[in-house]
Amino acid sequence: MATEKKFFYVARQNQVRDSKMFGKWYPEAYVLQTLSTRALAKHIQKHGSPYTLDVIMGVLIAFAEVTVEECMASNAVKIDGLGTFRPEIESIKGGAETKDLCDQSKVAGIHLRFTPEGSNISGEDITSRSMLKKARLERVGWVEGAQKTKNYQVHTFMDEQQPQP
C-alpha cells in the first residue's frame, strides 16, 4: 500500500455571472508538479525495480507510442489496475440531418480519453470515493477568478507557504 501523502487543494470562486452558483466556493485540486517520463522512470526505479533507468524509459516511451497507435486504429488499451485509454470523437455542433449526411465533415476532433479502473493490481480500491476516504486533504490557498495555466497549476493567493512535492 502506498504511503500516505497530502492531497492539496485550493478554494475557487465561481465567477460565471449568469450561473445559479455565482459567488459560491468549490475545492479544486492543486497540482504541485507534472512528472516527466524520465522523472516517472526514476521514481519507478526507486520502488525496487530490477531494471535500469534506460529500460524503464524505453518501456514508458513505447507504451505512449503504442497506446496512441492503437487508439488511432479504433482500439482501446486497458492497463490492468489503472484503467482504459480509448478514442472518442467530438462532433461539430448541430450534427447531421440524416444518417447519410453523418460523415467526416461532422467531426470536430478525435480525443484520447481515459477511464480509471475500480481497483489496482494488488486489489486496492482506487475508486474516487475510496480515494477520498484515504486522502489527507489540505487547503493551500484560494482563487478568485484566476485561470489555470498550461501545466495545470493555478494562480493562487496562498494561505501560507507554497506546498512542496
Side-chain angles (χ1 to χ4, degrees):
M1 183 170 195
T3 59
E4 184 180 272
K5 300 210 179 225
K6 291 181 186 176
F7 189 95
F8 297 114
Y9 73 96
V10 294
R12 179 181 289 279
Q13 188 176 37
N14 180 331
Q15 296 289 310
V16 180
R17 294 220 178 263
D18 59 350
S19 168
K20 292 179 184 177
M21 302 303 152
F22 175 75
K24 300 284 186 186
W25 291 84
Y26 297 91
E28 182 176 278
Y30 182 83
V31 177
L32 293 172
Q33 63 183 330
T34 300
L35 295 178
S36 67
T37 305
R38 178 173 291 284
L40 183 60
K42 285 181 179 179
H43 190 78
I44 290 169
Q45 192 177 31
K46 286 180 186 176
H47 278 264
S49 173
Y51 302 104
T52 59
L53 182 62
D54 61 330
V55 171
I56 298 168
M57 285 281 297
V59 170
L60 290 173
I61 291 167
F63 165 75
E65 290 173 353
V66 169
T67 299
V68 171
E69 176 185 311
E70 288 299 318
C71 286
M72 290 302 298
S74 292
N75 294 313
V77 176
K78 181 179 182 219
I79 305 302
D80 294 335
L82 184 61
T84 303
F85 294 89
R86 69 183 189 293
E88 188 174 279
I89 288 179
E90 175 188 354
S91 302
I92 64 166
K93 291 185 180 183
E97 296 299 320
T98 67
K99 65 181 176 187
D100 293 330
L101 294 176
C102 186
D103 59 19
Q104 187 167 344
S105 69
K106 304 302 183 222
V107 176
I110 298 175
H111 303 282
L112 183 61
R113 298 290 189 227
F114 177 76
T115 304
E117 202 166 277
S119 61
N120 64 17
I121 291 175
S122 63
E124 182 180 11
D125 187 357
I126 59 171
T127 59
S128 61
R129 298 232 187 264
S130 174
M131 289 175 73
L132 176 60
K133 289 177 187 173
K134 296 174 193 171
R136 214 174 111 217
L137 296 165
E138 182 175 316
R139 184 170 65 103
V140 294
W142 66 94
V143 180
E144 296 183 51
Q147 297 295 313
K148 290 183 182 182
T149 61
K150 287 183 179 181
N151 67 351
Y152 304 104
Q153 294 285 348
V154 291
H155 300 287
T156 62
F157 303 96
M158 302 307 294
D159 288 339
E160 297 177 12
Q161 280 187 290
Q162 184 153 346
Q164 298 298 313

